[in-house]
């Protein structure tokens, strides 16, 4: 029963992250008026007037505004609207395609993740699962948090870090959100839960000075090697190329990420993680990479094997370096990349994802699981 509670708490945490990713993916273009909410809703209604889409559920402006609350739509209240379904996300993606094509491409993936998490929460939590999500978010899983290593962001401060005004605005927004969640939590778990909730909320947004202080005070913070140095942490500026397979896309806020395995031509393979920032602002995340060899997890070299911070510019894709984690194509064994990505400042690693399996034949020939 204890494992079930931990599983429910973990799934609840990832549902909150996925809802935040949805909010960023749809909210960013609509806030810029590309398109305005009213125009987006009108396009959705116009589509529903065509015979092929008449059975799709209606998305009005009130429902869209509700979904744009992100994780705050999980708060207890007099009414709980439905969460955005895969069908809803596909429809909104079609309406966004001409205005924000990258957001439109990412939205169905986020919608699938929300639907998948909701389905699993329903299985684990049973009837009334949604009413239990808030308590599960406040009371974190019992397993100890994995150690968080401090590392310097990839990007330079002048190019990517928020300005002082943006830092203050983010701090005020986080404080306001914290007040709302704290009031709701009082009725659920009391003061002890509130303490845990404050810790959880501090990792719910993009990087800030407050979040940095959690990793270590000034003067005592351990300086990690500069992750931008070639061969240790420098990231490529685009997606993965060559003979590779990537896993299911996951989200960390506005960043979509996936672990990948790449077969090189020198008898080796590289284990990678690819990041795509769907928002109009740089986002800093924390990542960790390992790989599975013959069902046994193997550690990657530091810094990617423990914890590395990377800032993904707005509307950009980055990939961990090819040399960061490699292995030889060992005959008669199977391999997978395994990754974790969370927002900067998050205390726990959360859900992991695997790349598809690569089987190495007796003669050393690599064969993907979907080719077998």
């Amino acid at each position: 029963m204890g494992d079930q509670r931990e599983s429910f708490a973990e799934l609840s945490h990832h549902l909150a992250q996925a809802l935040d990713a949805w909010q960023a993916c749809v909210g960013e273009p609509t806030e810029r008026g590309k398109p305005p909410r009213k125009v987006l809703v009108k396009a959705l209604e116009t589509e529903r007037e065509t015979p092929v889409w008449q059975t799709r559920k209606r998305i009005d402006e009130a429902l869209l505004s509700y979904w744009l609350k992100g994780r705050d739509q999980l708060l207890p209240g007099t009414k709980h609207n439905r969460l955005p379904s895969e069908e809803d996300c596909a429809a909104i993606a079609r309406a966004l395609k001409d205005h924000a094509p990258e957001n439109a491409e990412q939205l169905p993936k986020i919608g699938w993740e929300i639907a998948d998490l909701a389905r699993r929460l329903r299985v684990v939590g049973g009837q009334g699962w949604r009413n239990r999500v808030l308590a599960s978010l406040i009371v974190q899983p019992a397993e100890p948090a994995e150690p968080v290593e401090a590392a310097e962001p990839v990007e330079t401060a002048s190019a990517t870090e928020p300005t002082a005004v943006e830092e203050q605005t983010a701090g005020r927004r986080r404080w306001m959100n914290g007040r709302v969640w704290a009031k709701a939590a009082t009725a659920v778990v009391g003061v002890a839960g509130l303490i845990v909730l404050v810790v959880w909320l501090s990792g719910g947004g993009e990087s800030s000075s407050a979040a940095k202080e959690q990793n270590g005070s000034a003067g005592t913070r351990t300086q990690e090697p500069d992750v931008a140095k070639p061969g240790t942490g420098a990231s490529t500026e685009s997606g993965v190329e060559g003979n590779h397979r990537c896993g299911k896309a996951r989200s960390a806020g506005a960043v979509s990420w996936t672990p990948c395995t790449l077969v090189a031509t020198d008898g080796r393979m590289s284990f990678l993680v690819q990041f795509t920032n769907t928002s109009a602002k740089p986002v800093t995340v924390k990542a960790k990479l390992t790989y599975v060899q013959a069902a046994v997890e193997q550690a990657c070299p530091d810094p990617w094997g423990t914890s590395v911070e990377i800032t993904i510019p707005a509307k950009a894709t980055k990939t961990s370096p090819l040399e960061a984690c490699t292995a030889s194509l060992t005959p008669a064994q199977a391999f997978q990349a395994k990754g974790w990505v969370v927002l900067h400042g998050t205390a726990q690693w959360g859900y992991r994802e695997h790349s598809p399996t690569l089987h190495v034949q007796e003669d050393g020939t690599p064969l993907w699981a979907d080719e077998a």
Side-chain angles (χ1 to χ4, degrees):
M1 192 68 183
D3 291 343
Q4 187 181 57
R5 283 197 297 269
E6 290 178 12
S7 176
F8 190 90
E10 182 184 52
L11 292 171
S12 298
H13 179 70
H14 294 302
L15 177 62
Q17 289 185 317
L19 292 173
D20 281 349
W22 196 100
Q23 177 189 36
C25 192
V26 179
E28 184 269 327
T30 55
E31 286 176 6
R32 291 188 293 114
K34 296 184 177 181
R37 291 190 192 181
K38 290 184 181 295
V39 175
L40 178 61
V41 170
K42 184 177 180 180
L44 292 169
E45 281 300 289
T46 300
E47 183 184 72
R48 281 185 76 244
E49 293 174 359
T50 60
V52 69
W53 302 114
Q54 284 179 349
T55 58
R56 177 172 61 76
K57 291 183 178 180
R58 186 186 179 197
I59 304 172
D60 57 20
E61 192 168 356
L63 183 57
L64 183 65
S65 298
Y66 179 82
W67 289 340
L68 286 170
K69 292 179 180 180
R71 68 177 65 190
D72 283 355
Q73 64 193 276
L74 297 173
L75 288 167
T78 56
K79 179 182 179 182
H80 268 158
N81 285 314
R82 61 187 175 88
L83 299 177
S85 68
E86 293 179 83
E87 183 183 45
D88 296 323
C89 294
I92 296 173
R94 289 191 295 271
L96 285 176
K97 187 174 181 180
D98 293 337
H99 304 275
E102 293 182 4
N103 297 57
E105 182 181 355
Q106 291 297 324
L107 188 59
K109 301 174 185 177
I110 299 173
W112 183 93
E113 184 165 9
I114 291 173
D116 180 59
L117 289 166
R119 177 187 57 77
R120 288 192 283 165
L121 281 163
R122 191 178 298 110
V123 170
V124 175
Q127 188 175 6
W129 67 269
R130 188 163 169 175
N131 293 327
R132 294 175 49 203
V133 167
L134 176 63
S136 295
L137 290 173
I138 298 166
V139 182
Q140 289 292 308
E143 62 182 347
E146 298 188 48
V148 177
E149 300 290 337
E152 294 300 316
V154 168
E155 306 295 335
T156 62
S158 60
T160 62
E161 291 188 359
T163 64
V165 174
E166 290 172 332
E167 291 276 10
Q168 293 170 4
T169 302
R172 286 195 298 269
R173 183 164 55 250
R174 185 174 294 106
W175 176 74
M176 290 297 292
N177 286 342
R179 290 182 63 194
V180 174
W181 278 89
K183 288 179 181 178
T186 303
V188 183
V189 292
V191 176
L194 289 178
I195 297 173
V196 182
L197 174 62
V198 170
V199 175
W200 176 71
L201 284 171
S202 67
E206 296 181 14
S207 59
S208 69
S209 56
K212 290 175 183 176
E213 290 174 3
Q214 289 181 351
N215 291 335
S217 60
T220 60
R221 182 176 175 179
T222 304
Q223 183 81 10
E224 292 288 339
D226 184 356
V227 296
K229 291 179 181 178
T232 58
S235 296
T236 62
E237 298 298 326
S238 60
V240 186
E241 298 179 354
N243 183 13
H244 72 282
R245 295 285 192 279
C246 295
K248 181 170 60 179
R250 292 280 174 183
S251 61
V255 173
S256 172
W257 62 273
T258 178
C260 307
T261 298
L262 170 69
V263 179
T265 58
D266 60 354
R268 299 182 65 80
M269 69 197 88
S270 293
F271 305 104
L272 312 164
V273 60
Q274 179 177 296
F275 314 86
T276 298
N277 182 2
T278 63
S279 74
K281 295 180 180 179
V283 179
T284 299
V285 295
K286 181 178 66 175
K288 182 174 72 169
L289 260 178
T290 64
Y291 66 95
V292 179
Q293 178 178 356
V296 178
E297 184 173 318
Q298 307 289 340
C300 292
D302 289 342
W304 286 87
T306 51
S307 177
V308 61
E309 289 181 8
I310 177 169
T311 298
I312 303 94
K315 302 291 185 182
T317 294
K318 282 198 167 188
T319 306
S320 58
L322 299 180
E323 302 85 2
C325 188
T326 63
S328 299
L329 290 169
T330 307
Q333 293 193 10
F335 295 85
Q336 284 179 292
K338 183 178 180 181
W340 294 258
V341 178
V342 294
L343 287 170
H344 166 75
T346 302
Q348 297 196 24
W349 279 108
Y351 197 84
R352 82 288 179 273
E353 189 56 66
H354 294 84
S355 71
T357 303
L358 177 70
H359 297 280
V360 183
Q361 306 301 296
E362 292 285 355
D363 61 358
T365 302
L367 185 69
W368 296 104
D370 60 5
E371 298 174 335

